[in-house]
């Protein structure tokens, strides 16, 4: 009889891998899955994937969001995005939703004790200035 091995997640990258495998594959539509994996691969993994979960707090995530707004967007020939464009507030919102849900799942799985990004809320999309002073369309 084989035993079930539960992997220990030390870094954000470890947690995201577990999250996509256990939650994403079962709960996301194909387009959502592809979009979320791209966000992880292009923006989360390269910037903060190696950070230990014990080092992540709300302040850390806030700085990450600010850094994202100063990061050039990954080129996407299908959408026509150019490398000179910066990540939009809309993309940061999508990354926020993804991370928030990831941390909420980690709590349910008893991997972490508190929600790290729960208090990071964005204003609704109304042609107002967003949380980071960027014009939202």
């Amino acid at each position: 009889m084989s035993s079930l091995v539960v992997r220990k997640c030390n870094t954000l990258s470890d947690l995201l891998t577990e999250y996509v495998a256990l939650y994403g594959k079962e709960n996301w539509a194909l387009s959502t899955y592809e979009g979320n994996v791209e966000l992880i691969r292009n923006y989360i993994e390269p910037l903060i994937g190696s950070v230990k979960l014990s080092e992540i707090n709300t302040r850390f995530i806030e700085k990450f969001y600010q850094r994202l707004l100063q990061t050039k967007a990954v080129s996407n020939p299908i959408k026509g995005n150019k490398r000179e464009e910066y990540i939009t507030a809309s993309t940061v919102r999508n990354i926020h939703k993804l991370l928030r849900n990831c941390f909420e799942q980690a709590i349910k799985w008893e991997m972490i004790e508190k929600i790290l990004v729960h208090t990071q809320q964005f204003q609704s999309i109304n042609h107002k200035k967003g949380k980071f002073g960027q014009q939202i369309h």
Side-chain angles (χ1 to χ4, degrees):
M1 182 181 223
S2 66
S3 63
L4 179 64
V5 177
V6 178
R7 215 177 96 165
K8 175 86 169 133
C9 295
N10 294 315
T11 66
L12 181 57
S13 181
D14 295 340
L15 176 60
L16 288 166
T17 299
E18 192 81 359
Y19 170 67
V20 170
L22 293 176
Y23 182 84
K25 286 183 179 179
E26 296 297 321
N27 293 288
W28 297 334
L30 181 60
S31 60
T32 303
Y33 178 87
E34 290 172 347
N36 285 343
V37 168
E38 287 294 312
L39 290 175
I40 292 167
R41 184 181 322 129
N42 292 330
Y43 302 118
I44 301 171
E45 291 277 344
L47 297 174
I48 62 171
S50 63
V51 175
K52 292 186 184 301
L53 291 175
S54 61
E55 297 174 5
I56 299 175
N57 58 31
T58 306
R59 183 172 178 249
F60 176 89
I61 295 295
E62 182 76 27
K63 286 185 174 204
F64 170 60
Y65 293 156
Q66 290 174 358
R67 181 176 174 195
L68 281 173
L69 290 170
Q70 298 170 2
T71 301
K72 295 207 178 191
V74 173
S75 160
N76 184 338
I78 295 170
K79 291 183 179 178
N81 294 354
K82 299 176 186 156
R83 286 191 181 267
E84 300 85 45
E85 296 175 359
Y86 289 93
I87 296 173
T88 64
S90 175
T91 300
V92 175
R93 270 192 301 279
N94 289 336
I95 291 169
H96 165 72
K97 287 190 278 188
L98 175 66
L99 286 175
R100 183 182 61 216
N101 187 258
C102 177
F103 288 124
E104 287 173 352
Q105 287 304 313
I107 290 166
K108 288 179 186 177
W109 297 330
E110 299 178 354
M111 296 171 75
I112 59 176
E113 292 184 15
K114 65 179 182 176
I115 299 174
L116 303 171
V117 294
H118 183 68
T119 59
Q120 303 295 319
Q121 298 298 324
F122 288 91
Q123 294 179 9
S124 62
I125 304 172
N126 289 332
H127 297 292
K128 294 188 223 178
K129 287 204 173 198
K131 179 169 183 166
F132 298 109
Q134 307 295 358
Q135 188 69 31
I136 298 175
H137 301 284

